[in-house]
Amino acid sequence: KEWKSSYIMLVSSSAEAKESIFKTTSQLRKKAIEYPAPIVPILDLEKHDPKDIWDNVFNSKKSQRKYINRFEQSGYKIKETRSPEDLDTFHKYYLDNVNFIKGKAVERSHFDALFKEFSENELRMTLAGGLIAFLYPPRKTIYLRHMALNRSLPSTYHPPYPLFWDAVNFAYNHGFKRVCFGSSSTDPDVRSHQIKMSFGCDYLENYGGIIGISPLFNAVYRTYMWSR
C-alpha cells in the first residue's frame, strides 16, 4: 500500500469469463491487462482411473510400473502425516530439492501458516520425500503443490512416481474427479513434464488478467511485460 502498487489478479480456465472480466472492468474505468497465467497438467480421473492408468497409460518404455514396484518392494512406504516433527523432515527435503533444481524456496513460516489455516480435509502431506496437496471438494479437485524429494535415495527409485501414484489413488478413492499436477513446463525435453504427462495428463489453458489499483502499477507492469 505504501508504494500504491496494489492490484487484483483474476485467473480462469474459461475464455468467456476472461472476456466478461475485461469488458466489465473497462466499464468501471479499470482496464484489465493481460496476465500470462500458467498452463497446468490436469489428470481427468473419469477419463483415466487408476486401473486404466496402470494397465494402459503406463508403458514398459517409460518404466512407471517398474519404479513404483521397486519403491514398494524395497520396503519404502508413503505415510500421511501432520506432525510438527514430520513437517521438519518435509521442509528439509523440500529445501534440498529446491536448491538442487535452483528454484526459489518459500520460508518455513509459509508451511506453518498452511497447517494452521487448513484442516486435514483441506491439506494433505505425505512423506517419502514428501508431497503437499490441497483438497477442494466443491470442484472435486486435488491440487499438488509442494514436492520434497529425498535426494539421498538412489536415483533408481524415482520417488516422484510413487508420490504421484499415491496421490492419484487417494484422489480416486475419495471421490475426486481431477488431479492438478501444478504449473509445469510444456517442453517435452524437461523431465518434470515427462513424468507428469506419463500419468495421462492433459494441459489446461488458463486466462489471466491484472487490474492495477493505481496508474503507477499499470505503468510499471506494462513496462515489465513490454521488456519481456
Side-chain angles (χ1 to χ4, degrees), residues 27-159:
Q27 294 172 349
L28 298 174
R29 298 180 182 179
K30 289 289 184 182
K31 187 176 181 180
I33 308 169
E34 291 278 354
Y35 167 73
I39 299 175
V40 295
I42 300 286
L43 174 61
D44 184 344
L45 291 172
E46 293 184 304
K47 179 180 177 183
H48 297 300
D49 62 27
K51 185 178 186 305
D52 177 65
I53 294 171
W54 188 266
D55 293 340
N56 303 311
V57 178
F58 288 170
N59 61 65
S60 57
K61 183 178 180 180
K62 295 181 181 177
S63 303
Q64 300 101 318
R65 289 187 291 262
K66 180 180 73 174
Y67 296 140
I68 294 168
N69 285 332
R70 178 183 292 163
F71 188 86
E72 294 175 349
Q73 291 166 1
S74 296
Y76 293 107
K77 295 185 181 298
I78 295 173
K79 71 171 183 176
E80 188 173 342
T81 176
R82 290 179 68 91
S83 78
E85 294 78 15
D86 286 334
L87 183 54
D88 288 337
T89 302
F90 175 92
H91 191 249
K92 175 188 179 301
Y93 291 148
Y94 165 78
L95 288 179
D96 290 345
N97 186 54
V98 172
N99 291 333
F100 181 84
I101 63 175
K102 296 180 171 58
K104 183 178 181 181
V106 298
E107 299 291 336
R108 167 58 193 267
S109 58
H110 172 76
F111 294 103
D112 292 331
L114 290 181
F115 276 77
K116 182 178 180 180
E117 181 70 23
F118 295 99
S119 71
E120 61 184 10
N121 297 319
E122 300 170 305
L123 183 147
R124 180 177 187 253
M125 181 176 75
T126 52
L127 277 188
L131 181 64
I132 284 180
F134 292 97
L135 319 180
Y136 191 53
R139 288 184 62 86
K140 296 186 181 299
T141 303
I142 286 183
Y143 299 87
L144 308 184
R145 184 64 184 95
H146 294 291
M147 173 75 78
L149 298 182
N150 182 352
R151 294 285 173 181
S152 66
L153 284 176
S155 59
T156 53
Y157 288 112
H158 296 269

Side-chain angles (χ1 to χ4, degrees), residues 151-176:
R151 294 285 173 181
S152 66
L153 284 176
S155 59
T156 53
Y157 288 112
H158 296 269
Y161 284 106
L163 283 167
F164 286 151
W165 181 238
D166 171 79
V168 167
N169 280 277
F170 174 89
Y172 183 79
N173 293 334
H174 287 79
F176 290 89

